[in-house]
Amino acid sequence: MKKALFYLIIFLAVQIVCTYAVMLIWSWASGTDMEEGLATNASVVIISSAVYSLILLVMFLVCRWCVVERTYLRSRPYGVLFWVVIAALGTIIPSEWLAGQLDLPDNNAELFQNIMASPWGYLSICIFAPLVEEVVFRGAILRSLLESYRPWIAIVVSALFFAAAHFNLAQMPHAFLIGILLGWMCWRTGSIIPGILFHWINNTVAYVLSNIYPGMNDLTFYELFGSDQRRILMAVGFSFCLLIPALLQLNLRMKK
């Protein structure tokens, strides 16, 4: 547990330090105050994301807190990766439905709106985030927990860390449930590759939808499907027709 907490603290500390450093430099270069909306400035967030992502990747890989090998890809796990894509697509609508039911406050709505509106936002949300978060939370934190705890305890604890690290109540339930799924895939395959692919699909769909509906301040489940309960049930049911077979296939195909 100590190693897992250490990795989490490193992850958060590097993010905070890099974000404030970029904000300070931006403020000095542009002649603006630190308090003039820099925390929700898309360019500042994207640049700081690139900086801390690079630092974290180098740190965790060089220090071998996360060991990355090509063994899994050499096994040609094309079937597993195909069903990972299907599972990722199958979780999106149920996740939005759950968010609508819980109706938790979204502290980062303006920030994400600004990032999604930027062409460079794809790098921050869909490239940097999947790589860094899988390296840290599955590659380092989960693997360290598996050394001391039973698999499902380690998976749940790592998912709790993953949810807490988002610092946003609206994202936490989704992050926790997806964290369990990502942890299970990492444990079964011994690789973070399925998790990176799942994470990339999930975030890319969110990015694409936000650009298809640019006029929406905060795209929600009910904005997509309306309040018609039949349409909602059909959408959720169709998603489970993707998700359940995908999970069954992954359970059959992934080797412990």
Side-chain angles (χ1 to χ4, degrees), residues 6-251:
F6 171 74
Y7 297 146
L8 179 63
I9 290 168
I10 291 293
F11 173 78
L12 297 176
V14 170
Q15 277 191 319
I16 292 168
V17 169
C18 289
T19 299
Y20 276 97
V22 171
M23 287 173 62
L24 184 63
I25 294 169
W26 188 279
S27 174
W28 172 78
S30 62
T32 58
D33 263 345
M34 284 280 286
E35 298 179 0
E36 291 186 10
L38 288 185
T40 55
N41 183 303
S43 298
V44 171
V45 174
I46 292 166
I47 292 170
S48 61
S49 174
V51 173
Y52 68 65
S53 295
L54 180 61
I55 291 172
L56 285 167
L57 284 172
V58 171
M59 185 181 296
F60 274 76
L61 296 178
V62 170
C63 295
R64 296 186 67 81
W65 295 336
C66 172
V67 179
V68 177
E69 299 175 343
R70 290 181 291 177
T71 306
Y72 184 69
L73 287 177
R74 286 173 178 165
S75 69
R76 299 181 180 181
Y78 306 130
V80 170
L81 298 181
F82 170 79
W83 287 107
V84 166
V85 172
I86 301 302
L89 295 174
T91 60
I92 293 167
I93 291 176
S95 173
E96 286 297 323
W97 177 82
L98 178 62
Q101 297 300 305
L102 296 175
D103 195 25
L104 296 171
D106 190 347
N107 302 326
N108 293 332
E110 183 183 358
L111 172 62
F112 279 108
Q113 181 185 357
N114 293 341
I115 295 173
M116 295 295 194
S118 169
W120 294 100
Y122 186 82
L123 289 176
S124 176
I125 298 295
C126 306
I127 304 299
F128 300 149
L131 282 173
V132 173
E133 291 178 4
E134 292 311 306
V135 163
V136 174
F137 287 95
R138 261 60 66 178
I141 290 176
L142 175 60
R143 286 181 180 178
S144 69
L145 290 169
L146 286 170
E147 294 173 0
S148 305
Y149 300 95
R150 293 180 179 178
W152 281 107
I153 294 175
I155 290 168
V156 170
V157 171
S158 68
L160 285 170
F161 284 0
F162 183 55
H166 283 76
F167 290 109
N168 186 7
L169 283 175
Q171 290 179 287
M172 285 182 182
H174 169 76
F176 174 68
L177 294 174
I178 295 301
I180 290 177
L181 180 55
L182 294 171
W184 173 64
M185 292 192 298
C186 182
W187 168 57
R188 288 289 298 270
T189 62
S191 172
I192 61 173
I193 297 297
I196 291 173
L197 177 61
F198 185 105
H199 213 143
W200 173 72
I201 293 289
N202 184 275
N203 292 12
T204 296
V205 170
Y207 181 85
V208 170
L209 287 177
S210 72
N211 283 278
I212 291 175
Y213 301 96
M216 291 186 179
N217 182 50
D218 183 21
L219 187 65
T220 66
F221 182 83
Y222 294 102
E223 287 172 329
L224 279 172
F225 297 101
S227 57
D228 186 339
Q229 290 299 314
R230 181 178 296 179
R231 293 177 65 188
I232 291 171
L233 289 174
M234 287 178 64
V236 174
F238 175 76
S239 294
F240 279 112
C241 287
L242 296 177
L243 179 59
I244 293 174
L247 294 179
L248 292 173
Q249 285 294 321
L250 287 172
N251 187 54

